[in-house]
Amino acid sequence: QVQLVESGGGSVQAGGSLRLSCAASGYTYSSYSSNCMAWFRQAPGKEREGVAVIPTGSGGTFYADSVKGRFTISQDNAKNTVYLQMNSLKPEDTAMYYCAAGRIGCGLRLWQYAYWGQGTQVTVSS
């Protein structure tokens, strides 16, 4: 069984920073079940959208245009953990943030990911 557990969410004022963590268990980044880790977010009334992607192996990271230059995705393979460093947060970043793992390419599409965390809430106030 694959389990992804997010943490690090909370409330912060605009311009502040948060670092989200996603601890994976039941598989490792080198396993067949996952070749990409990603962060998605979903605000009330909106579709879940991809935020950032990092391959578990080689390859570069990429981001949604809305977060480029502000968010950084990284991973610690020894800990089976992926992070999302969020800087210069804006109220529009307020959402439930989800960690995801998949093996159908490394993109920002929902259907590419089979495993999901429960989410961690990020609230940015102005």
Side-chain angles (χ1 to χ4, degrees):
Q1 181 177 348
V2 175
Q3 184 175 11
L4 305 175
V5 180
E6 302 96 334
S7 62
S11 61
V12 64
Q13 293 183 336
S17 298
L18 287 172
R19 189 178 77 157
L20 307 183
S21 298
C22 173
S25 63
Y27 72 100
T28 63
Y29 288 179
S30 62
S31 69
Y32 80 93
S33 62
S34 179
N35 62 13
C36 192
M37 301 291 291
W39 286 95
F40 287 72
R41 66 185 182 185
Q42 186 169 23
K46 295 185 177 180
E47 298 289 328
R48 190 170 298 187
E49 63 175 345
V51 175
V53 175
I54 185 168
T56 57
S58 62
T61 59
F62 62 94
Y63 303 86
D65 289 342
S66 60
V67 306
K68 286 181 179 178
R70 299 188 298 119
F71 291 11
T72 303
I73 188 170
S74 62
Q75 64 188 8
D76 184 339
N77 286 338
K79 297 181 179 180
N80 282 346
T81 300
V82 63
Y83 304 95
L84 185 68
Q85 178 67 47
M86 305 184 294
N87 298 324
S88 301
L89 283 163
K90 304 174 181 179
E92 50 264 45
D93 295 318
T94 295
M96 185 73 74
Y97 283 72
Y98 298 90
C99 178
R103 54 176 173 169
I104 311 174
C106 290
L108 293 173
R109 300 290 190 267
L110 286 172
W111 54 265
Q112 295 181 294
Y113 297 90
Y115 309 107
W116 295 85
Q118 83 290 342
T120 185
Q121 179 67 40
V122 172
T123 302
V124 184
S125 61
S126 60

